[in-house]
Amino acid sequence: MDEEKRLSRKKNILFSVIAVALFCVLLFPLYWALITSLKTEQEIFQNPPTFYPHILNTKSYAAQVETGDFNMFRSFANSFLISTGATLIAVLLAVPASYGIAKYRFKARKVLLLSFLVTQMLPVSVLLTPMFIMFKNMHVYNTWVAAVLADATIGIPFSVLILKNYFASIPKDLEEAAYLDGCNKFTAFVRILIPIAKPGVMVCAIFSFLYAWGDLAYGMTFILDQEKRPITAGIFNFMGQYGTKWSYLTAFAVVTIIPVALIFIFMQKYIVSGMTSGAVKG
Amino acid sequence: MAKIKKFFRYENVGMLFVLPAFLYMLAFVGYPIIHNIILSFQDVSAGNLVKGTRNFVLFDNYLELFGDSVFTTSLWNTLRFTVSCLVFQFIVGFALALFFSKRFSFAKPVRGILLVPWMIPITVTALMFKLLFATDIGIINFLLRSLHLIDKNIEWLTTPGTAMFALICANVWIGIPFNMILISTGLTTIPKELYESASIDGAGKVQTFWRITLPLLKPTIESVLILGFIYTFKVYDLVYVMTSGGPVNATHMLSTYSYKLSFEMFKYSKGSAVANVLLVILLFVGVFYIRATTEGEKE
């Protein structure tokens, strides 16, 4: 009966070994990209392949700083600017919206909720051409603004749907106590509710950032000049031009993963809660 | 003025909070959708995209699609890609969720790290799998050679059938963590007492799985599969970076074909029509999803 709770020593070891094996197999692609970025081109083409770099080669990283031809650190900075902008818009708009939906029962509520749910399912293909025309007319085409505006449309619906659950779980009493203390609806929202929903706000910020960071379609379509493009579009361009320079390509990939890895290391609990609550509930 | 003030008293204040986000989405998503529908009924090319007059051609763009073999290939590809991915990622994800529900020392940390593939930008994932499936230096060809399963390197990404296989592998890799974590969460909602009383009644492990675990997980399984379908069916970045729809259109999906028509061939209206077909299929499936989520809400 206790089997579910405590495993015998033997089983514990066996399961842990299997877990480590699974870990190695499933994360192998990442390891392989990392070590390829640290090999010399010659070693990459060696047969049989080496499973760790025999000659450590950091040139593929250093070359990116020295030659201005394909500066991955500039595309990194572009991506950072675009993702931060999109995250700010998404959070600033989604926080009040989700509060409104969670705490008030007005007529259009269900329709609004539904429309946020539907926008989450939209394929980018539907939006690309009309947005392209719109951004041309707004004179923001080929600037980072276009990518920010487009990327925020991914973060907003996700954030609204996640945060509404957080606000809904805050008891009404807390709000009423704030009114007694002289707060009005807006000050109660800012001073009492937002601080309580902070973990939810973090989840929204992280996911909005990750969505924007991973975007390729918008950045590639709405920004023409390579030096203004996000890092994902940079990689894609680079692949087209230096298709077999794997050490450079994988170095590019590793640099792109760095922010994702940092977010994972320091904010793992938010990731799990975002993936589960957000995804199941919409 | 007084009327407006009266309207926004009590519950309707909520609307004011939602308004900014709603207007934003209306401008940058709602309007484009309508615009895209209009585009698909016109004849728009590079010449009259931003300025100039556009003629209405009604259903011509859609009718043209039926005779277009690349469109029908894309539609079929999207379907078989989606179904194959769903089957594999669901089975592996489910197995992993069951495995990590056991309480052994490394269960939690390892399960956590396995979420990473889901977070990585898809462009990077595509690049990593291109490397794994590379013809000369690819580790997959090396493994197959070492096991004497092949004696000549397979050109994975430039052969139609194997290119699709490589795409499916990459997408399953992204999908596994998503399936695993949702099913893991679903498993924790099953009351422990049920398993206890089942074992007292003498039920075996297999029986417990079919009679208790699976039926109680039904809502989770439904939403995992529907969400998985929606995410997979609109696949874009992965295919665009790994194969760009090639070799010779063999791996085009609706999304990549739409992109090619619009932004490489400048047949914007036809591209919009393809995108709308994709949208209609997604919305059709989405209805099931919305039904499932709003049922749970009960408000």
Side-chain angles (χ1 to χ4, degrees):
Chain A
M1 201 170 101
D2 245 348
E3 195 198 26
E4 284 293 321
K5 282 188 179 163
R6 233 171 290 138
L7 296 162
S8 65
R9 219 179 116 83
K10 225 177 177 180
K11 266 196 169 172
N12 190 12
I13 294 172
L14 176 71
F15 280 20
S16 298
V17 169
I18 299 175
V20 173
L22 283 169
F23 164 82
C24 293
V25 171
L26 283 168
L27 294 193
F28 179 77
L30 283 167
Y31 171 75
W32 196 243
L34 177 68
I35 60 157
T36 305
S37 74
L38 295 169
K39 286 181 186 175
T40 58
E41 279 296 318
Q42 200 185 357
E43 194 177 333
I44 291 172
F45 281 90
Q46 202 169 300
N47 186 26
T50 50
F51 283 83
Y52 61 93
H54 290 248
I55 306 161
L56 197 66
N57 169 44
T58 52
K59 210 187 109 220
S60 29
Y61 292 91
Q64 301 289 337
V65 195
E66 289 153 12
T67 59
D69 184 26
F70 241 100
N71 198 327
M72 72 169 142
F73 292 97
R74 184 191 278 159
S75 4
F76 187 95
N78 293 341
S79 266
F80 201 82
L81 173 73
I82 292 169
S83 308
T84 310
T87 306
L88 278 177
I89 295 181
V91 170
L92 284 177
L93 293 180
V95 168
S98 50
Y99 166 74
I101 286 180
K103 289 291 180 191
Y104 297 90
R105 295 286 171 273
F106 51 91
K107 269 189 192 151
R109 181 177 172 274
K110 282 218 155 153
V111 180
L112 285 174
L113 199 55
L114 200 69
S115 62
F116 286 117
L117 211 57
V118 171
T119 44
Q120 267 205 311
M121 301 174 199
L122 292 177
V124 280
S125 326
V126 181
L127 304 174
L128 284 175
T129 309
M131 276 184 166
F132 178 82
I133 299 170
M134 193 194 308
F135 292 143
K136 279 231 163 176
N137 288 327
M138 288 168 68
H139 300 288
V140 293
Y141 172 73
N142 200 20
T143 67
W144 58 274
V145 179
V148 168
L149 291 174
D151 282 341
T153 64
I154 322 172
I156 292 171
F158 173 86
S159 304
V160 169
L161 295 168
I162 285 245
L163 268 174
K164 111 183 164 350
N165 297 337
Y166 277 87
F167 282 123
S169 68
I170 299 174
K172 258 255 170 322
D173 309 7
L174 267 172
E175 227 176 316
E176 265 145 29
Y179 296 148
L180 288 179
D181 289 343
C183 283
N184 62 32
K185 276 175 180 160
F186 289 90
T187 49
F189 168 60
V190 174
R191 289 202 204 136
I192 312 291
L193 290 163
I194 293 183
I196 299 175
K198 209 181 137 202
V201 178
M202 286 298 291
V203 173
C204 295
I206 290 169
F207 275 74
S208 300
F209 188 90
L210 284 177
Y211 284 138
W213 189 262
D215 159 69
L216 171 69
Y218 291 143
M220 187 175 70
T221 313
F222 304 140
I223 303 176
L224 191 65
D225 299 334
Q226 185 49 47
E227 65 265 31
K228 294 181 199 162
R229 280 183 160 182
I231 196 159
T232 45
I235 293 183
F236 183 69
N237 255 31
F238 200 87
M239 282 171 93
Q241 295 189 20
Y242 305 87
T244 49
K245 266 220 157 207
W246 284 109
S247 60
Y248 281 51
L249 278 170
T250 45
F252 224 138
V254 170
V255 171
T256 312
I257 296 176
I258 290 172
V260 179
L262 289 176
I263 288 176
F264 178 79
I265 292 166
F266 294 107
M267 301 170 196
Q268 198 187 331
K269 62 175 177 175
Y270 299 116
I271 302 288
V272 175
S273 103
M275 271 177 90
T276 51
S277 63
V280 174
K281 281 252 132 187
Chain B
M1 198 57 205
K3 255 189 184 170
I4 297 173
K5 247 190 166 170
K6 206 177 161 195
F7 180 78
F8 282 118
R9 240 193 267 163
Y10 310 114
E11 299 299 325
N12 282 338
V13 174
M15 268 158 111
L16 287 179
F17 285 98
V18 190
L19 206 59
F22 177 71
L23 289 179
Y24 188 94
M25 293 305 281
L26 195 66
F28 292 107
V29 177
Y31 168 72
I33 294 174
I34 307 288
H35 194 168
N36 197 59
I37 295 172
I38 297 171
L39 274 169
S40 72
F41 291 115
Q42 295 173 323
D43 68 334
V44 177
S45 57
N48 57 352
L49 180 66
V50 181
K51 279 178 193 136
T53 48
R54 305 166 174 179
N55 294 319
F56 275 92
V57 296
L58 294 175
F59 289 95
D60 283 8
N61 292 311
Y62 291 95
L63 292 173
E64 213 180 296
L65 291 182
F66 288 105
D68 180 350
S69 66
V70 185
F71 170 74
T72 40
T73 312
S74 312
L75 182 61
W76 168 236
N77 279 344
T78 318
L79 270 174
R80 65 188 177 127
F81 173 80
T82 306
V83 172
S84 314
C85 288
L86 282 185
V87 169
F88 289 113
Q89 71 196 29
F90 179 73
I91 293 173
V92 179
F94 205 134
L96 288 176
L98 287 174
F99 176 70
F100 285 111
S101 70
K102 303 274 180 234
R103 293 211 184 167
F104 54 94
S105 312
F106 292 172
K108 281 214 162 165
V110 174
R111 196 188 68 182
I113 298 174
L114 291 187
L115 298 181
V116 169
W118 191 82
M119 297 167 62
I120 289 174
I122 291 176
T123 312
V124 171
T125 307
L127 177 123
M128 293 190 306
F129 274 81
K130 252 187 136 159
L131 175 64
L132 296 176
F133 279 105
T135 308
D136 296 323
I137 59 156
I139 192 84
I140 290 174
N141 273 342
F142 168 73
L143 285 177
L144 293 176
R145 272 198 326 267
S146 317
L147 296 168
H148 298 288
L149 291 170
I150 54 169
D151 42 38
K152 224 177 102 219
N153 282 335
I154 298 176
E155 296 192 7
W156 291 99
L157 293 171
T158 46
T159 318
T162 54
M164 185 55 99
F165 175 77
L167 287 173
I168 292 168
C169 286
N171 201 67
V172 166
W173 189 73
I174 304 168
I176 287 171
F178 176 73
N179 282 258
M180 177 186 76
I181 198 74
L182 290 193
I183 295 166
S184 284
T185 319
L187 284 173
T188 59
T189 61
I190 301 176
K192 283 271 176 291
E193 298 81 47
L194 279 178
Y195 288 114
E196 282 162 16
S197 53
S199 78
I200 290 168
D201 290 346
K205 279 195 172 161
V206 179
Q207 224 178 344
T208 317
F209 177 77
W210 288 102
R211 295 277 171 82
I212 296 177
T213 313
L214 221 47
L216 285 173
L217 272 185
K218 208 184 146 221
T220 309
I221 293 173
E222 269 175 11
S223 57
V224 166
L225 289 179
I226 300 175
L227 275 172
F229 186 95
I230 293 170
Y231 289 143
T232 315
F233 203 79
K234 59 181 189 179
V235 63
Y236 169 76
D237 318 34
L238 186 77
V239 181
Y240 192 71
V241 178
M242 268 179 85
T243 66
S244 296
V248 210
N249 302 327
T251 58
H252 258 310
M253 305 287 164
L254 288 175
S255 60
T256 53
Y257 186 47
S258 164
Y259 190 88
K260 185 185 171 181
L261 283 169
S262 297
F263 293 99
E264 284 165 29
M265 296 165 76
F266 307 110
K267 293 179 176 174
Y268 292 100
S269 284
K270 204 175 163 190
S272 294
V274 174
N276 284 334
V277 173
L278 174 59
L279 177 67
V280 167
I281 298 173
L282 283 176
L283 287 182
F284 182 77
V285 177
V287 169
F288 291 100
Y289 173 60
I290 288 168
R291 225 184 249 167
T293 43
T294 42
E295 244 171 44
E297 260 209 349
K298 291 239 166 88
E299 283 178 63

